[in-house]
Amino acid sequence: PLATLKQVLDEAKKGKYAVGAYNINNMEQLQGIVNAAAQTKSPLIIQASRGAIKYTEMNYLVHLIKAATELHPEIPIVLHLDHGDNLETVKKCVEAGFTSVMIDASHHSFEENVRITKEVVDYAHQFGVSVEAELGTLGGVEEDITGTVKLTDPDQAKLFVEQTGVDCLAVAIGTSHGAYKFKAEPVLATDLIPTIYEKTQKPLVMHGSSSVPQDILAQINKFGGQMPAAQGVPIAPLQKAIEGGVAKINVDTDSRMCMTGTIRQIFHEQPTKFDPREYLGPAREATTKMIAERMQAFKTAGHA
Ligand code: G3H
Ligand code: 13P
Ligand code: NA
Ligand code: ZN
C-alpha cells in the first residue's frame, strides 16, 4: 500500500533528512526513480502535476504506481498531486487513490489562500490524505501563473498553518521552477528556513529545487540541444535547508534533462537505432544514477 506524505515527512523530520519528491510522466521515469529508491533504500514521493495526470490519462499513472508498490513493498511510496489548483482536482486525485495532495492557492490573498486551503484540508483529512499548501511566490512560472518573487513571511506562515491545519508547507526562498533559475550567482534566503520552521513546527517543502547538473547540460548541448546558461540550485544550500527544517525537496527539471541528454547522445552516436528500448532503457538507467545521487545528498538513503 502507499504511504501518506505525513507519515514519510514526520519520519524525515525526526531523522533530519529530506525526501525527494520526483515528478513523473511515464513508465521509464517512474522505473528509473523507483530503482534508485530500491538501490539506496530510500522512502519516495512520486508526484504528478495536472499536466502529468492529463498525459497519463490518470489510469496509467495510478496503475504504474500500483506496480511499483507490488514490486517494492519494502519502500514507502507516496503518490502526491503537485500544484493542485482547486478542490475538484483534489477530489479526483483522492478518488483515484492519491495519498497526498498539494493545494497551491499562494497566488491569492492570504485570507483567500487560507480559505481555499482549509477547504481542501477538511476534505482530504476525512480520507487520511495529507495536504501540502504554499505561502509566498517562487520566481518564474508556477504551472501557468507568472509571478515575481515574494519570500515567505515567518509570522504569516505560523498563522497559516494554525488556521488551515496543513501537514506541511511549501515556502518561497528564491528558487523558481525550470532550468533557468539564476542569472549569475544563486541567491537563496536559506536563513529564513529555521525561523519558519521554529514558528510553524511543520515539515517544510522546497519547490524549484533541481540542481541542473552542468555535465548533463553539456551533454544535451553537445548532441544538438540548445539550452543556454541553464542554472539550478547547488546541493550545498539544499543540505543547509534540510538542516533548517526542509523535509520535502521537489525535483522535476533534472529528470527531464537526464532523459533528454541520454536520448540525444544515442540518437547522435547511433543513428541507425530505432527500437525505443534502446534509448529509453539507457535514459531510465541514467535517471536511476542521477536520482540515487540526490537520495544520498538529501540523506534519504538508508531510511526505507
Ligand atoms: O511545478 C511544475 C512541475 O515541474 C510540473 O510541470 O506542469 O509541466 O508537468 P508540468
Ligand atoms: P524544478 O523545476 O526545479 O525541478 O522544480 C520542480 C517542482 O517544484 C515541482 O513542483
Ligand atoms: Na506561490
Ligand atoms: Zn513546484
Side-chain angles (χ1 to χ4, degrees):
L2 291 165
T4 68
L5 189 63
K6 184 173 168 22
Q7 286 165 347
V8 162
L9 295 191
D10 286 351
E11 285 299 312
K13 278 312 309 157
K14 275 188 238 156
K16 295 191 188 312
Y17 60 92
V19 183
Y22 305 100
N23 290 72
I24 65 149
N25 292 284
N26 66 25
M27 181 180 76
E28 284 79 4
Q29 285 182 306
L30 178 64
Q31 289 175 316
I33 294 162
V34 167
N35 291 343
Q39 271 177 23
T40 62
K41 301 190 172 16
S42 299
L44 179 61
I45 303 159
I46 293 294
Q47 56 187 11
S49 67
R50 278 175 284 140
I53 289 168
K54 194 172 172 205
Y55 187 80
T56 58
E57 303 169 69
M58 182 66 102
N59 275 54
Y60 289 104
L61 173 75
V62 169
H63 288 272
L64 284 171
I65 302 285
K66 188 166 184 286
T69 63
E70 286 169 5
L71 289 170
H72 294 284
E74 77 283 8
I75 310 170
I77 304 178
V78 178
L79 178 56
H80 175 78
L81 166 66
D82 191 24
H83 294 282
D85 54 343
N86 58 40
L87 187 60
E88 284 322 297
T89 307
V90 165
K91 281 183 178 171
K92 276 190 202 130
C93 289
V94 171
E95 281 161 20
F98 282 53
T99 50
S100 179
V101 293
M102 178 187 190
I103 175 71
D104 183 1
S106 62
H107 49 286
H108 291 289
S109 69
F110 179 82
E111 292 72 24
E112 192 65 356
N113 190 0
V114 167
R115 189 189 66 76
I116 295 167
T117 301
K118 188 168 187 319
E119 189 177 45
V120 165
V121 170
D122 289 344
Y123 173 79
H125 280 183
Q126 296 177 76
F127 303 95
V129 169
S130 310
V131 180
E132 170 188 340
E134 179 171 308
L135 191 61
T137 309
L138 274 74
V141 180
E142 280 198 86
E143 293 232 330
D144 26 63
I145 298 145
T146 314
T148 43
V149 180
K150 191 169 164 287
L151 300 180
T152 305
D153 177 86
D155 292 310
Q156 272 201 345
K158 179 178 161 58
L159 285 177
F160 188 82
V161 302
E162 284 170 2
Q163 292 178 11
T164 58
V166 285
D167 300 294
C168 59
L169 182 68
V171 295
I173 60 149
T175 64
S176 58
H177 290 106
Y180 309 98
K181 300 186 194 299
F182 307 105
K183 294 231 154 57
E185 284 305 292
V187 185
L188 292 170
T190 36
D191 289 348
L192 266 182
I193 290 167
T195 315
I196 300 171
Y197 181 64
E198 202 185 306
K199 297 207 185 236
T200 59
Q201 296 294 315
K202 291 286 173 192
L204 302 178
V205 182
M206 263 180 78
H207 284 247
S209 296
S210 275
S211 297
V212 186
Q214 295 299 299
D215 55 337
I216 297 177
L217 179 69
Q219 180 189 38
I220 289 173
N221 288 334
K222 181 174 176 188
F223 297 108
Q226 290 182 8
M227 289 187 66
Q231 223 187 311
V233 183
I235 295 297
L238 293 175
Q239 291 175 333
K240 194 178 166 215
I242 296 168
E243 282 165 30
V246 166
K248 175 176 182 277
I249 299 181
N250 288 8
V251 173
D252 184 0
T253 297
D254 285 351
S255 311
R256 296 179 180 196
M257 288 180 64
C258 192
M259 292 211 102
T260 299
T262 301
I263 291 169
R264 277 196 176 281
Q265 181 166 354
I266 291 170
F267 281 1
H268 183 88
E269 288 179 345
Q270 304 174 63
T272 58
K273 301 272 192 222
F274 61 90
D275 179 340
R277 292 171 296 188
E278 291 184 313
Y279 49 90
L280 294 177
R284 178 172 71 187
E285 275 171 43
T287 301
T288 298
K289 185 169 168 287
M290 188 273 297
I291 298 293
E293 285 169 14
R294 293 292 176 282
M295 290 167 169
Q296 299 292 348
F298 301 164
K299 303 188 171 64
T300 337
H303 291 289

